[in-house]
């Protein structure tokens, strides 16, 4: 069989661009595009010769060099002796249909902005990579990358600039990877990296360093220079013998650790951190459920002028009345919600509840002030001062100076200027501030000068041991002297014995709270305590005059 073209029709000429004079006597292979392998054509001829028929899709090249797709049916025509006489091929142009399918496939598997694979294709490639690694006893790495500082650029310069930056970053990451590796965009400014056949840790770290350095290079977009960095988390398979989705989740957890560690760095996942993260998630869910069920309440610890024996107010302290664990202290749950939206919600509840108590007490003739601990994240939450003003508007009969907000001395370490601005906004409402745990930080003088707080609270760790430890006694004395120099009111925490109180008064500190005065108690118990306290002359009698 010579397999030469004998005749063609007008449809053939329209699709291929060749007229009969140009192709007559030539082999049909002149139309081959190279897209299909030699094995494909071998199978086609095997079926055609054995079954006298073949049908399927072919990718050919026309006279102009353009590739087109055809749906083809080839039949064998034999003579009376059963020998092959010729073949008849019928085909139709399906290029548009195939291109549409290709576009749909691309939409389904690739990120439309950056052109890199999306989560669907990533998952498919990762599952195949896991299967390959299991068969060949090789290693692979999964990385989760989040851009540092992207949101600020997107907010300030708009989504168009942000999109162009993402395109630039995706291209840079792709250029850093090896052949066969994958970078996928899975949303926003988050990318996942899949590194195959990792021979050793040094090879993986080299890729990570290239990625971090490349992303951190400045980018010129729309005549603006932008600079971002990346936080990267990684996990290895089969050391982390998880499925595809879990590997991505583990890399994400490691990325979060890298971001907490200062950004522009990478961190490798380990099982201990995973167990810790899972425990944190479960704990957070339990706290959220308890808050929703109304299991939180406020306790109150009185504060007094020790020399005069007068009650000057109380500190409101949150408690969780857990249905199975009993009454839980703040240290048992507040660290778990730090930096989460729940911290803001619970903080707002504490403020609102405290103001409700103040107004109800005022109605029965109990006039006093309350101090409340404010978490740094709550204080710096957008619109904190405005929210506080709105709460006071719901209690128009209360004087704002009945509320004192306590912030930890170390809470302002990262952004003193911003904390100071928020404090000024609140002070304009009449609210007072106190620096809590004073003396435990590293820059006490800096805080005193920069932060507009009217009061200082000596940390109880110094007060508790001041009678037995000369160093702690010296710290307490120094803080008292500082408060006088800077004109700040001073209150000592942790006054657990009459002797502590006597020594503090001698040193010049008259205000205190602690177990020697009263333990934290519910609101109804506080009212009963207030009725009895003035009848306790032993306290004032023991104080230096």
């Amino acid at each position: 069989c010579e397999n030469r073209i004998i005749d063609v029709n007008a449809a053939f000429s329209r699709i291929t661009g060749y007229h009969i004079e140009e192709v007559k006597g030539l082999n049909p292979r002149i139309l081959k595009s190279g897209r299909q392998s030699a094995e494909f054509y071998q199978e086609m001829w095997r079926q055609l010769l054995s079954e006298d028929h073949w049908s399927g899709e072919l990718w050919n090249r026309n006279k102009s060099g353009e590739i087109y797709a055809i749906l083809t049916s080839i039949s064998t025509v034999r003579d009376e002796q059963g020998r092959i006489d010729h073949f008849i091929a019928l085909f139709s142009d399906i290029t548009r249909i195939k291109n549409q399918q290709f576009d749909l496939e691309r939409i389904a598997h690739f990120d439309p902005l950056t052109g890199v694979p999306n989560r669907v294709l990533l998952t498919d490639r990762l599952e195949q990579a896991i299967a390959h690694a299991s068969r060949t006893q090789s290693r692979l790495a999964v990385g989760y990358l989040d851009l540092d500082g992207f949101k600020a650029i997107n907010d300030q310069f708009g989504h168009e600039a942000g999109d162009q930056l993402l395109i630039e970053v995706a291209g840079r990451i792709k250029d850093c990877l090896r052949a066969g590796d994958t970078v996928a965009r899975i949303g926003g400014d988050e990318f996942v990296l899949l590194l195959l056949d990792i021979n050793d840790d040094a090879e993986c770290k080299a890729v990570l360093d290239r990625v971090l350095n490349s992303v951190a290079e400045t980018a010129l977009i729309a005549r603006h220079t932008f600079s971002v960095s990346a936080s990267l988390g990684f996990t290895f398979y089969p050391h982390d013998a998880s499925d595809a989705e879990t590997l991505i989740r583990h890399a994400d957890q490691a990325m979060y650790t890298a971001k907490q560690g200062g950004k522009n760095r990478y961190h490798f996942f380990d099982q201990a951190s995973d167990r810790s993260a899972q425990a944190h998630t479960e704990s957070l869910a339990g706290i959220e459920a308890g808050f929703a069920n109304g299991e939180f309440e406020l306790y109150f610890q009185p504060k007094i002028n020790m020399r005069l024996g007068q009650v000057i107010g109380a500190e409101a302290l949150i408690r969780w009345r857990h249905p199975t664990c009993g009454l839980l202290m703040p240290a048992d749950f507040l660290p778990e919600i730090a930096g989460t939206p729940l911290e803001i919600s619970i903080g707002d509840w504490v403020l609102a509840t405290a103001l409700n108590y103040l107004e109800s007490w005022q109605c029965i003739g109990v006039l006093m002030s309350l101090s409340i601990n404010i978490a740094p994240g709550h204080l710096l939450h957008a619109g904190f001062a405005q929210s506080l003003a709105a709460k006071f508007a719901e209690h128009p009969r209360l004087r704002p100076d009945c509320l004192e907000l306590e912030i930890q001395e170390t809470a302002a370490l990262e952004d003193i200027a911003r904390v100071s601005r928020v404090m000024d906004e609140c002070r304009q409402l009449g609210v007072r501030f106190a620096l809590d745990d004073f003396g435990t930080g590293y820059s006490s003088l800096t805080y005193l000068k920069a932060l507009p707080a009217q009061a200082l609270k000596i940390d109880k760790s110094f007060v508790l041991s001041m009678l037995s430890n000369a160093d702690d006694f010296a710290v307490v004395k120094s803080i008292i002297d500082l408060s006088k120099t800077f004109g700040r009111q001073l209150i000592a925490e942790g006054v657990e014995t009459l002797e502590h109180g006597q020594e503090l008064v001698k040193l010049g500190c008259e205000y205190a709270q602690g177990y020697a005065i009263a333990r934290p108690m519910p609101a109804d118990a506080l009212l009963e305590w207030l009725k009895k306290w003035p009848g306790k002359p032993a306290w004032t009698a023991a104080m230096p005059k």
Side-chain angles (χ1 to χ4, degrees), residues 472-488:
D472 287 340
F473 182 89
V475 170
V476 171
K477 186 176 186 306
S478 296
I479 294 174
I480 293 172
D481 292 340
L482 273 176
S483 68
K484 294 176 181 177
T485 301
F486 285 91
R488 303 292 197 270

Side-chain angles (χ1 to χ4, degrees), residues 457-478:
K457 296 189 74 174
I458 308 175
D459 186 67
K460 63 182 179 182
S461 62
F462 300 118
V463 175
L464 288 173
S465 55
M466 63 178 288
L467 298 180
S468 58
N469 186 296
D471 290 339
D472 287 340
F473 182 89
V475 170
V476 171
K477 186 176 186 306
S478 296

Side-chain angles (χ1 to χ4, degrees), residues 217-270:
E217 292 177 1
T218 57
L220 182 63
I221 297 172
R223 292 181 294 181
H224 292 284
T225 301
F226 297 114
S227 180
V228 294
S229 60
S231 295
L232 261 169
F234 261 81
T235 189
F236 288 108
Y237 180 91
H239 177 73
D240 182 359
S242 304
D243 58 26
E245 284 301 314
T246 305
L247 287 171
I248 294 173
R249 179 172 60 82
H250 288 173
D252 183 15
Q253 291 175 7
M255 180 278 296
Y256 183 70
T257 303
K259 194 172 285 288
Q260 285 185 316
K263 306 174 183 177
N264 193 30
R265 65 189 62 203
Y266 53 78
H267 183 82
F268 289 95
F269 170 82
D270 62 83

Side-chain angles (χ1 to χ4, degrees), residues 12 15-18 31-33 35-36 58-63 65-70 91-95 98:
F12 174 92
I15 294 172
T16 68
Y18 291 105
L31 301 173
K32 285 176 63 175
S33 66
R35 277 200 179 184
Q36 285 149 314
L58 288 173
W59 286 93
N60 285 342
R61 191 182 301 275
N62 65 19
K63 184 178 179 180
E66 298 169 340
I67 294 177
Y68 62 93
I70 51 175
F91 58 83
S92 57
D93 190 346
I94 58 170
T95 307
K98 297 301 291 183

